[in-house]
Amino acid sequence: MLILMSSEHTKKQLSDVLARIRKLRLKPHVIPGRQSVAIGITGNRGALDPHLFDVMPGVMEAVRVTRPYKLAGRDFKHGDTSFNVGPYRVGGPGLVVIAGPCAVESEEQLIRIARAVKKAGSHLLRGGAFKPRTSPYAFQGLGKKGLKLLAAARKETGMPIVTEVLDQRSLDAVADVADVLQVGARNMQNFALLKDLGKLRKPVMLKRGLSATLDEWLMSAEYLLSEGNAQLFLCERGIRAFSDHARNTLDLNVVPAVKELSHLPIFVDPSHATGVRSRVAPMARAAVAAGAHGLMIEVHDRPDQALCDGPQALSPEDFSSLMRDLSAIAGALGRGLAEPVFRGRG
Ligand code: PEP
Ligand code: MN
Protein backbone atom coordinates (compact mmCIF):
# COMPACT_ATOMS: atom_id res chain seq x y z
CA MET A 1 0.00 0.00 0.00
CA LEU A 2 1.16 3.49 -0.82
CA ILE A 3 -0.44 6.53 0.74
CA LEU A 4 -0.11 9.83 -1.09
CA MET A 5 -0.53 12.85 1.15
CA SER A 6 -2.08 15.98 -0.33
CA SER A 7 0.34 18.84 -0.92
CA GLU A 8 -1.35 20.87 1.86
CA HIS A 9 -1.24 18.18 4.57
CA THR A 10 -0.23 19.24 8.07
CA LYS A 11 2.44 17.64 10.27
CA LYS A 12 -0.30 16.40 12.59
CA GLN A 13 -2.18 14.73 9.73
CA LEU A 14 1.02 12.97 8.65
CA SER A 15 1.76 11.76 12.17
CA ASP A 16 -1.85 10.52 12.54
CA VAL A 17 -1.42 8.40 9.42
CA LEU A 18 1.92 7.04 10.69
CA ALA A 19 0.33 6.22 14.04
CA ARG A 20 -2.50 4.31 12.37
CA ILE A 21 -0.01 2.28 10.34
CA ARG A 22 2.02 1.42 13.46
CA LYS A 23 -1.13 0.52 15.35
CA LEU A 24 -1.78 -2.11 12.69
CA ARG A 25 1.72 -3.44 13.54
CA LEU A 26 2.97 -2.44 10.10
CA LYS A 27 5.99 -0.38 9.10
CA PRO A 28 5.61 3.04 7.49
CA HIS A 29 8.29 4.40 5.13
CA VAL A 30 8.07 8.12 4.59
CA ILE A 31 9.11 8.96 1.04
CA PRO A 32 9.60 12.70 0.49
CA GLY A 33 8.62 13.78 -3.00
CA ARG A 34 8.89 17.00 -4.94
CA GLN A 35 5.36 18.19 -4.23
CA SER A 36 4.31 16.17 -1.25
CA VAL A 37 5.04 13.08 0.78
CA ALA A 38 4.19 9.46 0.10
CA ILE A 39 4.16 6.72 2.72
CA GLY A 40 4.96 3.18 1.74
CA ILE A 41 3.71 0.41 4.03
CA THR A 42 5.47 -2.88 4.49
CA GLY A 43 4.94 -5.86 6.76
CA ASN A 44 1.39 -6.77 5.77
CA ARG A 45 0.70 -10.32 4.64
CA GLY A 46 -2.54 -9.79 2.79
CA ALA A 47 -3.94 -6.79 0.94
CA LEU A 48 -4.85 -3.74 3.01
CA ASP A 49 -8.13 -1.92 2.59
CA PRO A 50 -7.41 1.55 1.07
CA HIS A 51 -10.38 2.96 3.03
CA LEU A 52 -8.40 2.52 6.24
CA PHE A 53 -6.43 5.55 5.09
CA ASP A 54 -8.14 7.44 2.29
CA VAL A 55 -10.79 8.72 4.70
CA MET A 56 -8.16 10.37 6.89
CA PRO A 57 -7.64 14.13 6.67
CA GLY A 58 -4.62 15.13 4.59
CA VAL A 59 -4.61 11.87 2.58
CA MET A 60 -5.04 12.33 -1.16
CA GLU A 61 -5.09 8.68 -2.18
CA ALA A 62 -4.25 5.21 -0.90
CA VAL A 63 -3.19 2.81 -3.62
CA ARG A 64 -2.57 -0.90 -3.52
CA VAL A 65 0.95 -1.79 -4.63
CA THR A 66 1.43 -5.34 -5.67
CA ARG A 67 5.18 -5.16 -6.33
CA PRO A 68 8.18 -4.72 -4.02
CA TYR A 69 9.06 -1.44 -5.73
CA LYS A 70 6.51 1.20 -4.97
CA LEU A 71 7.50 4.38 -6.79
CA ALA A 72 9.02 2.76 -9.89
CA GLY A 73 5.87 0.80 -10.72
CA ARG A 74 2.75 1.62 -12.64
CA ASP A 75 0.61 1.16 -9.50
CA PHE A 76 2.07 4.44 -8.29
CA LYS A 77 2.13 6.28 -11.62
CA HIS A 78 0.05 5.20 -14.58
CA GLY A 79 1.39 7.68 -17.14
CA ASP A 80 4.87 7.54 -18.64
CA THR A 81 7.71 9.52 -17.10
CA SER A 82 9.40 12.01 -19.39
CA PHE A 83 11.72 14.97 -18.82
CA ASN A 84 14.03 17.22 -20.78
CA VAL A 85 17.74 16.72 -21.22
CA GLY A 86 18.97 19.90 -22.87
CA PRO A 87 16.45 20.55 -25.62
CA TYR A 88 15.36 16.90 -25.97
CA ARG A 89 12.56 15.04 -24.27
CA VAL A 90 13.59 11.68 -22.83
CA GLY A 91 10.65 9.28 -22.53
CA GLY A 92 8.57 11.15 -25.10
CA PRO A 93 7.50 9.86 -28.51
CA GLY A 94 10.75 10.89 -30.23
CA LEU A 95 13.68 8.45 -30.21
CA VAL A 96 16.67 9.92 -28.36
CA VAL A 97 20.14 8.78 -29.41
CA ILE A 98 23.27 9.06 -27.26
CA ALA A 99 26.54 8.51 -29.12
CA GLY A 100 30.25 9.03 -28.65
CA PRO A 101 33.42 7.22 -27.68
CA CYS A 102 33.64 4.71 -24.86
CA ALA A 103 36.26 6.87 -23.13
CA VAL A 104 37.42 10.44 -23.40
CA GLU A 105 41.01 10.03 -24.60
CA SER A 106 42.13 13.51 -25.63
CA GLU A 107 40.68 16.85 -26.61
CA GLU A 108 41.23 16.21 -30.33
CA GLN A 109 39.70 12.73 -30.17
CA LEU A 110 36.61 13.91 -28.31
CA ILE A 111 35.94 16.99 -30.42
CA ARG A 112 36.44 15.07 -33.69
CA ILE A 113 34.02 12.34 -32.64
CA ALA A 114 31.55 14.79 -31.08
CA ARG A 115 31.34 16.75 -34.33
CA ALA A 116 30.91 13.54 -36.33
CA VAL A 117 28.09 12.11 -34.19
CA LYS A 118 26.34 15.47 -34.11
CA LYS A 119 26.51 15.71 -37.90
CA ALA A 120 25.00 12.22 -38.11
CA GLY A 121 22.07 13.35 -35.94
CA SER A 122 22.94 12.14 -32.44
CA HIS A 123 21.16 14.10 -29.73
CA LEU A 124 23.44 13.60 -26.75
CA LEU A 125 27.20 13.01 -26.47
CA ARG A 126 28.60 10.18 -24.37
CA GLY A 127 32.17 9.68 -23.16
CA GLY A 128 33.60 8.13 -20.01
CA ALA A 129 35.99 10.22 -17.93
CA PHE A 130 35.99 7.71 -15.07
CA LYS A 131 36.06 4.17 -16.48
CA PRO A 132 35.14 0.96 -14.62
CA ARG A 133 37.67 -1.53 -16.02
CA THR A 134 37.88 -5.24 -15.32
CA SER A 135 41.66 -4.94 -15.11
CA PRO A 136 43.34 -2.43 -12.80
CA TYR A 137 46.11 -2.17 -15.42
CA ALA A 138 43.74 -1.04 -18.19
CA PHE A 139 43.15 2.66 -19.01
CA GLN A 140 41.09 4.05 -16.16
CA GLY A 141 39.98 7.23 -17.90
CA LEU A 142 41.29 10.78 -17.73
CA GLY A 143 39.27 11.55 -14.61
CA LYS A 144 38.74 15.25 -13.88
CA LYS A 145 40.67 16.25 -16.99
CA GLY A 146 38.19 14.16 -18.99
CA LEU A 147 35.30 16.06 -17.40
CA LYS A 148 36.86 19.35 -18.51
CA LEU A 149 37.15 18.03 -22.04
CA LEU A 150 33.49 16.96 -21.98
CA ALA A 151 32.49 20.47 -20.89
CA ALA A 152 34.55 21.86 -23.76
CA ALA A 153 32.89 19.46 -26.21
CA ARG A 154 29.47 20.60 -25.04
CA LYS A 155 30.50 24.22 -25.53
CA GLU A 156 31.78 23.45 -29.00
CA THR A 157 28.84 21.35 -30.22
CA GLY A 158 25.94 22.30 -27.93
CA MET A 159 25.35 18.59 -27.22
CA PRO A 160 24.29 17.62 -23.67
CA ILE A 161 26.75 15.26 -21.98
CA VAL A 162 26.20 11.74 -20.64
CA THR A 163 29.07 10.47 -18.49
CA GLU A 164 29.55 7.81 -15.85
CA VAL A 165 29.87 8.39 -12.12
CA LEU A 166 31.96 5.64 -10.53
CA ASP A 167 31.83 6.49 -6.86
CA GLN A 168 30.64 8.93 -4.23
CA ARG A 169 34.05 10.58 -4.09
CA SER A 170 33.80 11.92 -7.64
CA LEU A 171 30.05 12.52 -7.60
CA ASP A 172 30.16 16.30 -7.17
CA ALA A 173 32.75 16.75 -9.90
CA VAL A 174 30.76 14.58 -12.33
CA ALA A 175 27.45 16.26 -11.42
CA ASP A 176 28.98 19.68 -12.17
CA VAL A 177 29.58 18.71 -15.78
CA ALA A 178 27.14 15.94 -16.70
CA ASP A 179 23.68 16.61 -18.11
CA VAL A 180 22.97 12.93 -17.45
CA LEU A 181 24.89 10.93 -14.84
CA GLN A 182 25.36 7.35 -15.93
CA VAL A 183 25.35 4.53 -13.38
CA GLY A 184 27.21 1.64 -14.98
CA ALA A 185 26.25 -2.01 -14.85
CA ARG A 186 28.80 -2.73 -12.13
CA ASN A 187 27.35 -0.05 -9.91
CA MET A 188 23.66 -0.89 -10.28
CA GLN A 189 23.60 -2.16 -6.71
CA ASN A 190 25.98 0.39 -5.20
CA PHE A 191 23.20 1.48 -2.86
CA ALA A 192 25.21 4.20 -1.12
CA LEU A 193 25.92 5.82 -4.49
CA LEU A 194 22.29 5.43 -5.58
CA LYS A 195 21.09 7.18 -2.42
CA ASP A 196 23.36 10.13 -3.09
CA LEU A 197 22.24 10.29 -6.71
CA GLY A 198 18.66 10.31 -5.44
CA LYS A 199 19.39 13.56 -3.64
CA LEU A 200 20.50 15.25 -6.87
CA ARG A 201 18.04 17.01 -9.11
CA LYS A 202 19.72 15.93 -12.34
CA PRO A 203 18.84 13.18 -14.82
CA VAL A 204 20.36 9.76 -14.16
CA MET A 205 20.66 6.79 -16.51
CA LEU A 206 20.68 3.51 -14.58
CA LYS A 207 22.19 0.64 -16.53
CA ARG A 208 21.15 -2.91 -15.79
CA GLY A 209 23.58 -5.00 -13.74
CA LEU A 210 25.38 -7.85 -15.48
CA SER A 211 23.16 -10.45 -13.89
CA ALA A 212 20.32 -8.37 -12.48
CA THR A 213 16.72 -9.48 -12.65
CA LEU A 214 14.08 -6.95 -13.63
CA ASP A 215 12.87 -6.75 -10.03
CA GLU A 216 16.39 -6.04 -8.76
CA TRP A 217 16.86 -3.37 -11.42
CA LEU A 218 13.61 -1.64 -10.51
CA MET A 219 14.47 -1.86 -6.80
CA SER A 220 17.69 0.01 -7.61
CA ALA A 221 15.60 2.62 -9.44
CA GLU A 222 13.50 2.78 -6.28
CA TYR A 223 16.56 3.97 -4.32
CA LEU A 224 16.76 7.08 -6.51
CA LEU A 225 13.03 7.70 -6.63
CA SER A 226 12.60 7.27 -2.90
CA GLU A 227 15.21 9.99 -2.32
CA GLY A 228 13.19 12.31 -4.57
CA ASN A 229 15.04 12.21 -7.91
CA ALA A 230 12.36 11.51 -10.48
CA GLN A 231 14.51 12.24 -13.55
CA LEU A 232 15.57 8.69 -14.09
CA PHE A 233 15.73 6.34 -17.05
CA LEU A 234 16.89 2.76 -17.49
CA CYS A 235 19.32 1.26 -19.99
CA GLU A 236 19.49 -2.41 -20.96
CA ARG A 237 23.10 -3.29 -21.85
CA GLY A 238 23.07 -7.05 -22.12
CA ILE A 239 23.36 -9.67 -19.41
CA ARG A 240 25.54 -12.69 -18.75
CA ALA A 241 24.11 -15.84 -20.25
CA PHE A 242 25.62 -19.01 -21.69
CA SER A 243 26.03 -17.82 -25.27
CA ASP A 244 29.67 -17.60 -26.29
CA HIS A 245 29.32 -15.67 -29.53
CA ALA A 246 29.13 -12.18 -28.07
CA ARG A 247 30.25 -10.12 -25.09
CA ASN A 248 26.79 -10.25 -23.52
CA THR A 249 23.26 -11.32 -24.39
CA LEU A 250 20.94 -8.46 -25.27
CA ASP A 251 17.68 -9.01 -23.42
CA LEU A 252 15.33 -7.13 -25.72
CA ASN A 253 12.46 -8.92 -24.10
CA VAL A 254 13.00 -6.66 -21.13
CA VAL A 255 11.98 -3.56 -23.11
CA PRO A 256 8.26 -4.36 -23.28
CA ALA A 257 8.51 -5.90 -19.78
CA VAL A 258 9.85 -2.64 -18.32
CA LYS A 259 7.15 -0.69 -20.17
CA GLU A 260 4.45 -2.91 -18.70
CA LEU A 261 5.69 -2.72 -15.13
CA SER A 262 7.25 0.73 -14.88
CA HIS A 263 6.63 4.28 -16.02
CA LEU A 264 10.38 4.92 -16.45
CA PRO A 265 11.87 5.41 -19.93
CA ILE A 266 13.93 2.49 -21.22
CA PHE A 267 17.00 2.81 -23.45
CA VAL A 268 19.11 0.09 -25.06
CA ASP A 269 22.91 -0.01 -25.43
CA PRO A 270 23.64 -2.43 -28.29
CA SER A 271 27.39 -1.71 -28.09
CA HIS A 272 28.10 -3.31 -24.70
CA ALA A 273 25.30 -5.79 -25.28
CA THR A 274 27.12 -7.33 -28.24
CA GLY A 275 30.74 -6.18 -28.01
CA VAL A 276 31.03 -6.84 -31.74
CA ARG A 277 30.85 -4.00 -34.27
CA SER A 278 28.93 -5.97 -36.91
CA ARG A 279 26.10 -6.76 -34.47
CA VAL A 280 25.56 -3.23 -33.17
CA ALA A 281 23.41 -1.89 -36.01
CA PRO A 282 21.10 -4.95 -36.25
CA MET A 283 20.48 -4.88 -32.50
CA ALA A 284 19.99 -1.11 -32.49
CA ARG A 285 17.34 -1.47 -35.20
CA ALA A 286 15.67 -4.29 -33.28
CA ALA A 287 15.65 -2.21 -30.07
CA VAL A 288 13.73 0.57 -31.78
CA ALA A 289 11.30 -1.96 -33.21
CA ALA A 290 10.85 -3.37 -29.69
CA GLY A 291 9.81 0.04 -28.40
CA ALA A 292 12.93 1.47 -26.72
CA HIS A 293 12.70 5.19 -25.95
CA GLY A 294 16.31 5.67 -26.95
CA LEU A 295 19.69 4.14 -27.68
CA MET A 296 23.26 4.56 -26.55
CA ILE A 297 25.91 3.73 -29.15
CA GLU A 298 29.71 3.84 -29.05
CA VAL A 299 31.38 5.54 -32.02
CA HIS A 300 35.10 5.97 -32.75
CA ASP A 301 36.78 7.27 -35.88
CA ARG A 302 40.04 5.40 -35.18
CA PRO A 303 38.86 2.25 -33.42
CA ASP A 304 42.21 0.49 -33.85
CA GLN A 305 43.75 3.19 -31.65
CA ALA A 306 40.89 3.35 -29.12
CA LEU A 307 42.00 2.97 -25.50
CA CYS A 308 38.76 1.18 -24.65
CA ASP A 309 36.16 -0.91 -26.51
CA GLY A 310 37.51 -0.36 -30.03
CA PRO A 311 36.09 -3.67 -31.36
CA GLN A 312 32.50 -2.56 -30.71
CA ALA A 313 32.81 1.05 -31.91
CA LEU A 314 30.95 2.07 -35.07
CA SER A 315 32.70 4.33 -37.54
CA PRO A 316 31.05 7.74 -37.99
CA GLU A 317 29.96 6.64 -41.50
CA ASP A 318 28.30 3.46 -40.21
CA PHE A 319 26.68 5.42 -37.40
CA SER A 320 25.34 7.91 -39.90
CA SER A 321 23.79 5.19 -42.01
CA LEU A 322 22.36 3.55 -38.87
CA MET A 323 20.70 6.87 -37.93
CA ARG A 324 18.90 6.84 -41.28
CA ASP A 325 17.65 3.30 -40.61
CA LEU A 326 16.54 4.23 -37.09
CA SER A 327 14.61 7.20 -38.42
CA ALA A 328 12.86 4.98 -40.96
CA ILE A 329 12.01 2.28 -38.38
CA ALA A 330 10.76 4.82 -35.85
CA GLY A 331 8.75 6.47 -38.64
CA ALA A 332 7.13 3.16 -39.58
CA LEU A 333 5.97 2.90 -35.95
CA GLY A 334 4.48 6.38 -35.92
CA ARG A 335 7.46 7.86 -34.11
CA GLY A 336 10.59 9.63 -35.33
CA LEU A 337 13.91 10.87 -34.08
CA ALA A 338 13.51 13.37 -31.23
CA GLU A 339 13.28 17.01 -32.26
CA PRO A 340 14.31 19.83 -29.92
CA VAL A 341 11.42 20.87 -27.68
CA PHE A 342 13.05 24.29 -27.40
CA ARG A 343 16.06 25.84 -29.10
CA GLY A 344 19.24 24.50 -27.55
CA ARG A 345 22.67 26.00 -27.76
CA GLY A 346 23.67 23.78 -30.68
C1 PEP B 1 29.80 2.32 -20.54
O1 PEP B 1 28.69 2.58 -21.03
O2 PEP B 1 30.79 3.04 -20.70
C2 PEP B 1 29.95 1.12 -19.70
C3 PEP B 1 31.05 0.91 -18.98
O3 PEP B 1 28.94 0.28 -19.78
P1 PEP B 1 28.44 -0.87 -18.76
O4 PEP B 1 28.41 -0.24 -17.41
O5 PEP B 1 27.08 -1.21 -19.30
O6 PEP B 1 29.41 -1.99 -18.91
MN1 MN C 1 32.51 1.00 -23.51
Side-chain angles (χ1 to χ4, degrees):
M1 172 85 52
L2 193 70
I3 298 171
L4 309 173
M5 299 300 289
S6 80
S7 52
E8 293 100 48
H9 74 269
T10 62
K11 272 191 182 163
K12 161 94 174 56
Q13 289 168 343
L14 178 64
S15 63
D16 285 351
V17 173
L18 298 178
R20 181 167 291 185
I21 296 168
R22 291 193 185 104
K23 207 162 162 216
L24 293 164
R25 296 184 178 278
L26 302 175
K27 192 161 184 234
H29 304 263
V30 177
I31 305 165
R34 249 192 290 186
Q35 266 138 40
S36 187
V37 168
I39 307 161
I41 304 179
T42 53
N44 49 307
R45 300 217 164 175
L48 287 171
D49 180 359
H51 291 310
L52 279 169
F53 301 101
D54 62 11
V55 293
M56 295 183 76
V59 171
M60 190 171 71
E61 206 185 346
V63 281
R64 280 206 176 111
V65 178
T66 48
R67 305 272 173 182
Y69 39 86
K70 299 185 186 296
L71 303 176
R74 292 238 184 235
D75 287 337
F76 172 63
K77 183 174 173 193
H78 300 293
D80 293 339
T81 285
S82 68
F83 47 85
N84 292 347
V85 174
Y88 301 108
R89 190 115 196 119
V90 165
L95 183 80
V96 173
V97 177
I98 307 167
C102 178
V104 178
E105 299 170 12
S106 70
E107 182 169 0
E108 300 71 43
Q109 173 251 16
L110 184 63
I111 299 287
R112 265 192 343 257
I113 298 174
R115 285 196 184 127
V117 295
K118 182 177 176 168
K119 189 160 164 239
S122 178
H123 303 100
L124 313 183
L125 176 66
R126 68 150 283 146
F130 295 92
K131 295 300 305 171
R133 304 303 301 276
T134 303
S135 162
Y137 309 118
F139 176 58
Q140 304 284 309
L142 295 180
K144 288 196 176 160
K145 178 165 178 241
L147 294 176
K148 275 200 188 137
L149 299 181
L150 286 164
R154 175 176 45 207
K155 200 157 175 219
E156 165 82 19
T157 63
M159 298 178 88
I161 301 296
V162 182
T163 195
E164 179 161 356
V165 57
L166 268 195
D167 51 30
Q168 288 162 283
R169 205 162 31 130
S170 55
L171 175 56
D172 289 346
V174 174
D176 272 350
V177 168
D179 296 283
V180 175
L181 290 100
Q182 168 176 333
V183 178
R186 291 153 193 83
N187 261 327
M188 189 204 85
Q189 288 191 317
N190 182 341
F191 301 121
L193 179 63
L194 298 180
K195 278 189 194 172
D196 281 359
L197 285 164
K199 296 195 178 83
L200 287 184
R201 294 296 173 266
K202 273 211 159 186
V204 172
M205 177 174 77
L206 179 64
K207 297 188 95 175
R208 182 180 184 181
L210 278 76
S211 62
T213 64
L214 177 50
D215 268 13
E216 286 164 348
W217 195 11
L218 292 176
M219 288 309 282
S220 290
E222 193 76 13
Y223 268 88
L224 285 125
L225 297 172
S226 63
E227 295 287 344
N229 192 352
Q231 298 185 80
L232 172 62
F233 63 103
L234 304 172
C235 181
E236 158 66 26
R237 46 78 73 209
I239 48 170
R240 279 282 162 85
F242 54 80
S243 60
D244 57 0
H245 58 80
R247 185 172 177 182
N248 289 296
T249 295
L250 178 56
D251 179 15
L252 272 188
N253 206 0
V254 91
V255 173
V258 164
K259 289 170 87 174
E260 271 165 41
L261 296 175
S262 176
H263 49 84
L264 296 171
I266 168 81
F267 277 47
V268 169
D269 167 356
S271 303
H272 295 90
T274 60
V276 185
R277 181 172 307 123
S278 60
R279 318 246 174 96
V280 172
M283 290 298 98
R285 294 190 291 255
V288 176
H293 292 99
L295 294 171
M296 181 158 87
I297 296 169
E298 288 188 347
V299 175
H300 205 297
D301 59 348
R302 298 175 192 169
D304 49 323
Q305 292 169 27
L307 296 179
C308 186
D309 285 352
Q312 69 193 30
L314 290 190
S315 67
E317 297 70 36
D318 287 349
F319 175 64
S320 199
S321 111
L322 172 61
M323 286 298 284
R324 287 190 287 276
D325 289 351
L326 299 179
S327 172
I329 295 166
L333 296 169
R335 303 175 63 198
L337 297 175
E339 295 288 340
V341 287
F342 59 83
R343 280 212 83 62
R345 284 165 298 168

